[in-house]
Amino acid sequence: MNLDLVIIIAVICTLIAIFLLGRWLYLRSVRMKNEAQMAMLFTNITHELLTPLTIISASVERLRAINPHHSPDYDMMDLNIQRVVRLLQQILETSKSQAGELKLLVSNGDVMEYIRETGRCIEPLMVKNGLKYSISCAPESMMGWIDTDKLDKIIFNLLSNAAKYTKGEDGHVELDVCTNKTYDHIIIRVRDNGCGIPKENMKHLFERFYDGDYRRFQATGTGLGLSLTKDLVYLHGGTIDCESEEGVGTTFTVSLPISKEMFTPAQIDERNKVKITVPQSSILDYSVTKNTVVEDEGTDELDDDAYKILIVEDNTELLMLMKQLLSSKYRTLTASNGKEALEILVKNDVDLVVSDVMMPEMDGNELTEKIKTNPDLSHLPVILLTAKTQEEDKVHSMLIGADEYIHKPFRMGDLQLRIDNLIQNRMRIQRDFRKQTLEETEKKATNDYSPDSLFLKRAMDCINEHLADSDYDRDAFAADMGTSSSTLYNKLRSITGLSVSSFIRDIRMKAACRLAQERPDIRVSDLAYSVGFRDPKYFATIFKKEFGMQPKEYLEQVASKDKVE
């Protein structure tokens, strides 16, 4: 054959191969791009669905507070809200699995006790379906390393699947847990005597979107449960098998490592222990609904000292509902995004911020960061509300300064409890400040490098530098602090519970005590002048009000104590 012809044919074949390869790579990239876009759309829609669920949940709570006589109906509403939440979270988890974003984080604890408590949370589902349900763990107690979030989903999916396909008065489901001979794995078996799985269906069992025979059994399904379960088991470094016989029943067997050596350093959380009595939220949708906090009446009769809260949420219905429910205890302001919230914070005195995370213009994380890095606003506590469920999302928000982090959908009673806790903690700090001596206050402010302590130390330094100056007032104080009078008032009220004038007077009186201890022979009038009081009589009145005795009595008490020593 002619060499030139061979070369031409080779060149043509190479070009065709290059063309076909390029075409395949192009189509593959388009397909991957479309899949990524669909996954993103899927995730965004799921996040958006969690917001109306929060509104429905909060409305149910309000109905329960107004008319508690229909408690069973409210319980059923809550039950189904949480079921929808669980399905949405499962969709999100599946999306992360497809994107390779699922991560493992194991903690140490009593594995058997945790599984037993988690399994008990599903008991109401079994009772509702009229099934006999048993849990057995051998041994009863076994320390090990597990990712509770992943383990909850594995147990829930297997048990709910068993309940779905097991019918009749004689139906029963068993959760059986044991260890292997070397005690470095746990074996979880979920058995039922249900319909069983046809042999031709077994090979598709763990495929995503395979829905089995749920329609025939009048059950609901997404085709995600077993597929996600398999992904979670493999992520844990375990195995999952299924044995089934039609008309006899099905047994799923999961083997998971629990030895610390089985996991990488990045997968191990040394700081936290497994919380036995607190199953994860994915399981709580079948627990008995707890009574929520009843809102107080008389929203128009709040006193002037009521705390003022800024609510930031881009969903108008949820924003108005939160405002309506929180207005019974607090004065409320509202904003639809972070940018609008910052403008409100500059113009208004606010004590606490409640904000959604995902918002247009400026999201909740950016808003939190701007608040915490602004010297005039850094004292404000921030509670973030979010549909994001990943631990790293929470860690990120807490690192930039969020004081609390609540997942959607949430109970308004829980939000109100978090608000009250932050307020009570702030009030405790304020009470402690008032009880401290000047030395104790200065020492704490010097050793603590938090923004509040640094601000407090600078404020005390300013007053101490002008201690004998009776003309040193709030305006001069604000000028020395390099801030406006209103900002100074807000910061001091938040940290100490005192107004600017009260704070100046408090530091002067504590300084008077210190001076009296250093010089017990000083005259009362000189003591008054030394701490900025023009009128010794007025000084004596304030001193008695503050310390329960006249300055002269205090000086005599200090002098007699010195003689004894």
Side-chain angles (χ1 to χ4, degrees):
M1 182 180 290
N2 191 308
L3 183 60
D4 292 340
L5 182 60
V6 171
I7 293 174
I8 292 172
I9 293 173
V11 170
I12 293 173
C13 290
T14 302
L15 291 174
I16 292 173
I18 292 172
F19 171 77
L20 292 175
L21 178 62
R23 175 71 175 173
W24 179 81
L25 290 173
Y26 170 74
L27 293 175
R28 180 172 176 269
S29 66
V30 170
R31 185 175 68 254
M32 291 177 66
K33 182 179 180 181
N34 290 337
E35 288 177 353
Q37 289 176 339
M38 286 302 296
M40 181 62 69
L41 178 64
F42 216 28
T43 301
N44 289 339
I45 291 175
T46 303
H47 278 301
E48 289 300 317
L49 287 173
L50 288 170
T51 294
L53 281 173
T54 300
I55 298 171
I56 296 171
S57 179
S59 299
V60 171
E61 286 190 54
R62 182 159 181 79
L63 288 173
R64 190 192 294 275
I66 295 172
N67 190 351
H69 302 296
H70 300 286
S71 184
D73 295 325
Y74 302 139
D75 289 348
M76 184 59 67
M77 293 179 198
D78 276 331
L79 178 71
N80 284 280
I81 288 170
Q82 293 303 318
R83 283 182 178 176
V84 176
V85 171
R86 181 189 59 77
L87 290 172
L88 291 174
Q89 289 176 340
Q90 190 147 280
I91 291 172
L92 286 173
E93 203 82 346
T94 302
S95 178
K96 292 169 191 170
S97 176
Q98 283 183 296
E101 295 178 357
L102 278 180
K103 295 179 181 179
L104 197 69
L105 190 64
V106 297
S107 299
N108 190 29
D110 191 331
V111 178
M112 294 299 184
E113 181 65 17
Y114 185 83
I115 293 175
R116 184 162 43 247
E117 290 299 318
T118 304
R120 284 173 182 164
C121 292
I122 302 182
E123 190 169 356
L125 171 63
M126 303 299 178
V127 173
K128 178 186 174 185
N129 289 358
L131 302 175
K132 295 178 182 178
Y133 178 49
S134 64
I135 304 172
S136 63
C137 298
E140 289 290 317
S141 178
M142 181 71 190
M143 298 300 291
W145 294 80
I146 54 172
D147 185 323
T148 55
D149 176 63
K150 308 299 185 292
L151 185 57
D152 278 334
K153 291 181 173 67
I154 292 169
I155 293 173
F156 176 85
N157 283 329
L158 294 179
L159 287 174
S160 62
N161 194 70
K164 188 186 302 181
Y165 295 112
T166 305
K167 305 294 180 181
E169 296 180 357
D170 297 327
H172 67 262
V173 175
E174 300 175 9
L175 172 60
D176 178 47
V177 189
C178 63
T179 64
N180 63 346
K181 293 181 180 180
T182 54
Y183 301 102
D184 58 0
H185 282 69
I186 53 169
I187 292 87
I188 303 170
R189 292 186 178 88
V190 175
R191 300 188 184 91
D192 66 66
N193 64 342
C195 62
I197 304 170
K199 289 184 178 179
E200 61 272 19
N201 292 352
M202 289 290 288
K203 60 182 179 181
H204 304 292
L205 195 58
F206 295 107
E207 291 179 6
R208 189 166 286 120
F209 301 119
Y210 177 69
D211 56 21
D213 294 327
Y214 73 83
R215 292 183 183 86
R216 182 161 61 91
F217 288 87
Q218 298 181 342
T220 57
T222 60
L224 296 175
L226 289 179
S227 172
L228 177 60
T229 299
K230 180 183 177 183
D231 291 345
L232 296 177
V233 170
Y234 284 2
L235 179 70
H236 223 107
T239 61
I240 181 169
D241 296 303
C242 177
E243 296 179 1
S244 186
E245 184 178 345
E246 283 192 85
V248 177
T250 303
T251 300
F252 281 92
T253 303
V254 173
S255 175
L256 297 176
I258 58 171
S259 174
K260 186 178 181 180
E261 290 72 25
M262 301 284 187
F263 306 103
T264 66
Q267 295 174 331
I268 296 172
D269 183 4
E270 295 274 10
R271 296 167 297 175
N272 298 312
K273 300 291 184 181
V274 173
K275 296 180 180 178
I276 302 299
T277 58
V278 187
Q280 299 295 317
S281 58
S282 59
I283 295 296
L284 289 178
D285 50 346
Y286 289 113
S287 62
V288 178
T289 304
K290 298 178 181 178
N291 290 329
T292 56
V293 177
V294 178
E295 287 79 20
D296 298 330
E297 298 297 330
T299 58
D300 296 329
E301 299 179 0
L302 294 174
D303 57 52
D304 294 335
D305 291 330
Y307 272 70
K308 187 178 288 185
I309 294 176
L310 173 61
I311 309 169
V312 192
E313 168 63 61
D314 62 323
N315 182 283
T316 305
E317 292 86 356
L318 180 56
L319 180 65
M320 291 300 101
L321 185 58
M322 283 196 290
K323 176 180 173 62
Q324 181 183 12
L325 294 176
L326 293 175
S327 293
S328 61
K329 290 189 68 174
Y330 319 104
R331 298 189 179 278
T332 56
L333 298 170
T334 59
S336 59
N337 58 63
K339 185 177 179 181
E340 185 179 326
L342 279 180
E343 294 173 357
I344 292 175
L345 289 173
V346 171
K347 299 176 182 177
N348 296 270
D349 297 337
V350 174
D351 296 298
L352 186 143
V353 178
V354 177
S355 175
D356 186 25
V357 171
M358 299 176 68
M359 297 182 295
E361 296 283 340
M362 181 189 295
D363 65 25
N365 282 330
E366 189 177 353
L367 171 63
T368 302
E369 192 168 14
K370 287 186 178 297
I371 289 174
K372 295 300 181 178
T373 55
N374 186 330
D376 294 339
L377 303 174
S378 60
H379 62 283
L380 292 177
V382 178
I383 299 176
L384 289 181
L385 312 173
T386 182
K388 295 182 177 181
T389 58
Q390 285 292 91
E391 182 66 21
E392 50 262 39
D393 295 322
K394 178 179 179 180
V395 171
H396 174 65
S397 296
M398 300 301 278
L399 285 175
I400 61 177
D403 296 87
E404 288 284 359
Y405 190 89
I406 303 177
H407 294 289
K408 289 183 179 180
F410 56 89
R411 291 184 178 276
M412 287 304 303
D414 185 33
L415 174 59
Q416 188 166 301
L417 180 62
R418 305 287 184 95
I419 293 172
D420 287 342
N421 284 343
L422 286 173
I423 291 174
Q424 289 298 324
N425 185 54
R426 185 69 70 174
M427 291 174 66
R428 179 184 59 77
I429 294 171
Q430 293 168 1
R431 287 194 300 270
D432 290 345
F433 172 81
R434 295 178 195 179
K435 292 178 182 178
Q436 292 169 353
T437 64
L438 190 59
E439 291 80 2
E440 290 171 337
T441 303
E442 290 174 343
K443 182 179 179 181
K444 184 175 180 181
T446 302
N447 295 333
D448 186 356
Y449 296 98
S450 66
D452 285 352
S453 291
L454 293 174
F455 177 87
L456 195 58
K457 185 178 186 306
R458 194 154 56 92
M460 289 189 295
D461 289 342
C462 286
I463 296 172
N464 286 326
E465 289 172 7
H466 301 84
L467 195 60
D469 184 0
S470 59
D471 293 324
Y472 193 69
D473 57 11
R474 58 178 294 165
D475 292 330
F477 185 18
D480 286 346
M481 291 292 290
T483 185
S484 65
S485 296
S486 60
T487 297
L488 181 62
Y489 169 81
N490 290 332
K491 292 278 285 186
L492 288 176
R493 181 177 181 270
S494 174
I495 299 171
T496 68
L498 300 172
S499 66
V500 178
S501 299
S502 297
F503 179 78
I504 294 174
R505 186 169 63 243
D506 182 81
I507 298 300
R508 289 187 190 278
M509 299 311 294
K510 288 178 178 178
C513 285
R514 180 165 66 181
L515 187 57
Q517 291 171 0
E518 293 173 353
R519 296 172 55 192
D521 57 341
I522 191 173
R523 293 190 304 173
V524 173
S525 58
D526 291 337
L527 182 60
Y529 300 144
S530 297
V531 294
F533 282 84
R534 289 197 185 107
D535 185 356
K537 290 184 179 180
Y538 177 65
F539 167 75
T541 302
I542 298 299
F543 193 96
K544 184 175 182 180
K545 183 179 179 181
E546 188 75 20
F547 302 108
M549 65 179 73
Q550 291 288 345
K552 186 176 181 180
E553 294 176 278
Y554 187 82
L555 288 167
E556 291 173 351
Q557 188 180 88
V558 173
S560 61
K561 184 179 178 182
D562 289 344
K563 288 179 181 179
V564 172
E565 293 178 352

